[in-house]
Amino acid sequence: MSNDAGLKDWNFQVLMLVQSMLGAITPNFRMVVLSRDDDAWVIMFYLQDDLEKDVEEVNDIICRYSAYQDSNLQLKWEIVFGCGELPVVPEADRVVYRRKEIFD
């Protein structure tokens, strides 16, 4: 895919990520964002705590997501831990999941 992924490509990737996350999201997941970096898709997972079971869930999500793709998929992914303020997501990126958070 080119750097300028079209709407059809974005919609496919969002759908495949959502399908990959079904049943895997726990209350520890704060946000999941899909973006592009050159020719690679980038998935950022924001988790509150560094829990082994949730890191394993992320690995399973990535495995399922990759299985939905052709062999040309270029993918980067990262897990960010913490309970601070979530970043503002650039307009070009897609927030695929975000939990409700209330701060007093």
Side-chain angles (χ1 to χ4, degrees):
M1 288 183 216
S2 70
N3 188 22
D4 298 320
L7 183 58
K8 184 177 178 180
D9 294 330
W10 273 101
N11 287 342
F12 177 79
Q13 296 303 327
V14 168
L15 177 60
M16 293 305 100
L17 183 53
V18 168
Q19 289 297 114
S20 300
M21 293 188 316
L22 289 176
I25 300 297
T26 69
N28 191 39
F29 281 72
R30 299 180 68 205
M31 184 167 69
V32 179
V33 178
L34 179 67
S35 63
R36 291 283 291 173
D37 179 22
D38 296 322
D39 288 333
W41 292 99
V42 180
I43 304 173
M44 298 292 297
F45 296 90
Y46 296 86
L47 279 64
Q48 184 168 323
D49 300 308
D50 185 357
L51 302 176
E52 183 178 347
K53 66 179 181 169
D54 287 332
V55 172
E56 289 175 11
E57 288 290 358
V58 168
N59 288 323
D60 290 346
I61 290 168
I62 293 298
C63 183
R64 286 189 295 273
Y65 177 77
S66 297
Y68 290 132
Q69 311 291 328
D70 63 23
S71 60
N72 296 325
L73 176 70
Q74 293 185 20
L75 176 64
K76 301 176 188 175
W77 57 279
E78 182 179 347
I79 302 173
V80 178
F81 300 102
C83 57
E85 191 172 329
L86 289 168
V88 174
V89 176
E91 194 172 305
D93 297 352
R94 304 294 192 276
V95 175
V96 179
Y97 170 81
R98 183 169 178 162
R99 75 178 186 192
K100 182 176 182 175
E101 296 186 350
I102 300 172
F103 298 99
D104 294 328

